Amino acid sequence: MDAISEEGRHDRDDYGWRLLFPEVFRKPPHLALLCSLVGTGAQLTLVALVLLLMGCLDAFAFRLWDSGSLLMSALGLYSISSGFAGLVAGKLFTMLG
């Protein structure tokens, strides 16, 4: 009796997965927009982490500029990290595309 009930339960689970499978692994409708937003988020996260690390290491204590050293560092890091954003977006695009 147990073998028969296990087989029936296994068939029901397999049938449910067959219905769910196309919805789970379908291609996103706006893939380019998704990849660019994920890449920008990765870029902003990298900039925030590097600025936090620089703040912890007292990199802004020297005051190379009179004011705005944090803002100038953020803008410089943002422009430098654009390659990282392109790498993340491109990798995601090829993985999902």
Side-chain angles (χ1 to χ4, degrees):
M1 286 288 272
D2 289 332
I4 294 172
S5 63
E6 267 187 46
E7 259 183 52
R9 187 171 2 136
H10 180 67
D11 287 342
R12 272 187 276 130
D13 290 341
D14 191 34
Y15 178 71
W17 174 246
R18 286 183 186 162
L19 290 175
L20 189 64
F21 182 79
E23 291 297 318
V24 173
F25 295 107
R26 66 184 163 99
K27 189 175 170 182
H30 303 289
L31 182 61
L33 179 63
L34 173 70
C35 292
S36 64
L37 290 176
V38 169
T40 303
Q43 181 181 10
L44 290 175
T45 302
L46 179 69
V47 169
L49 289 176
V50 170
L51 284 176
L52 185 64
L53 181 66
M54 288 174 67
C56 289
L57 296 175
D58 286 335
F60 304 116
F62 297 112
R63 305 270 179 183
L64 295 177
W65 300 280
D66 293 332
S67 64
S69 62
L70 181 65
L71 180 64
M72 289 299 294
S73 298
L75 289 175
L77 284 170
Y78 184 77
S79 63
I80 290 171
S81 65
S82 63
F84 179 71
L87 179 75
V88 169
K91 180 71 175 171
L92 184 65
F93 190 79
T94 56
M95 188 172 67
L96 294 177

